[in-house]
């Protein structure tokens, strides 16, 4: 098992010469900030980002994407800062994404909710969830914020 390096360097005389058709003495160094950031993240030394986004509207699957977009539009019209998940990951991954971004509330509209004209509102801080009619969605989200 080897430990990856954080910094490196060396001579690059022939590298510059390739482009100038003559040898030029040169040295260089690099510092791996991505490795430092990864190590800090593993050790829990990075602060949790607290973004402006208040609600993540999840996308259950492609068949419910339009319902999710409608919910996001409804929330935005009331002044709530909303993000619609753009990937195709499952709900667990979407909740993890919201957690990493510091988003406190998620809205879930699966096929059952869409058929019933409702939405599940999940408080990601307490991990509690309540299903409400879409007409009450804004009020429920505002109560959690």
């Amino acid at each position: 098992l080897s430990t990856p390096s954080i910094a490196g360097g060396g001579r690059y005389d022939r590298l510059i010469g390739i482009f100038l058709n003559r040898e030029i003495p040169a040295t260089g160094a690099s510092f791996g900030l991505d490795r430092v950031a990864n190590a800090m993240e593993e050790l829990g030394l990075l602060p949790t980002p607290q973004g402006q986004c208040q609600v993540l509207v999840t996308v259950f699957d492609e068949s419910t994407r339009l319902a999710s977009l409608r919910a996001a539009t409804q929330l935005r019209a009331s002044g709530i800062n909303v993000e619609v998940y753009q990937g195709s990951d499952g709900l667990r991954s979407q909740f993890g994404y919201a957690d990493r971004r510091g988003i406190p509330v998620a809205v879930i509209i699966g096929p059952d909710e869409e058929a019933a004209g409702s939405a599940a509102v999940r408080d990601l801080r307490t991990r509690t969830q309540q299903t409400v009619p879409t007409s009450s969605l804004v009020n429920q989200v505002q109560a959690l914020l």
Side-chain angles (χ1 to χ4, degrees):
L1 183 68
S2 67
T3 303
S5 63
I6 292 177
R11 296 204 55 90
Y12 299 97
D13 297 337
R14 291 192 179 114
L15 179 65
I16 293 174
I18 291 171
F19 300 106
L20 297 178
N21 293 323
R22 62 187 166 132
E23 284 209 16
I24 298 206
T27 61
S30 66
F31 187 72
L33 290 177
D34 56 334
R35 301 228 177 169
V36 173
N38 288 342
M40 289 177 70
E41 185 176 14
E42 272 188 40
L43 295 171
L45 298 175
L46 293 177
T48 303
Q50 297 298 320
Q52 297 289 328
C53 188
Q54 298 170 291
V55 177
L56 176 69
V57 176
T58 64
V59 177
F60 190 84
D61 61 26
E62 282 306 311
S63 71
T64 61
R65 184 175 294 276
L66 186 56
S68 294
L69 292 172
R70 283 188 191 119
T73 300
Q74 182 182 0
L75 292 165
R76 287 178 180 139
S78 70
I80 298 170
N81 194 325
V82 176
E83 180 178 341
V84 178
Y85 191 77
Q86 295 301 310
S88 59
D89 303 312
L91 289 177
R92 182 176 295 228
S93 294
Q94 294 181 56
F95 294 152
Y97 171 81
D99 188 49
R100 287 189 303 278
R101 301 262 336 264
I103 302 171
V105 176
V107 172
I108 306 115
I109 302 177
D112 295 340
E113 288 85 4
E114 183 178 23
S118 63
V121 180
R122 184 173 180 92
D123 185 332
L124 297 170
R125 298 161 294 198
T126 62
R127 304 203 188 282
T128 58
Q129 182 171 309
Q130 182 176 4
T131 301
V132 297
T134 53
S135 60
S136 301
L137 179 61
V138 170
N139 290 337
Q140 180 64 30
V141 168
Q142 287 175 333
L144 291 175
L145 295 174

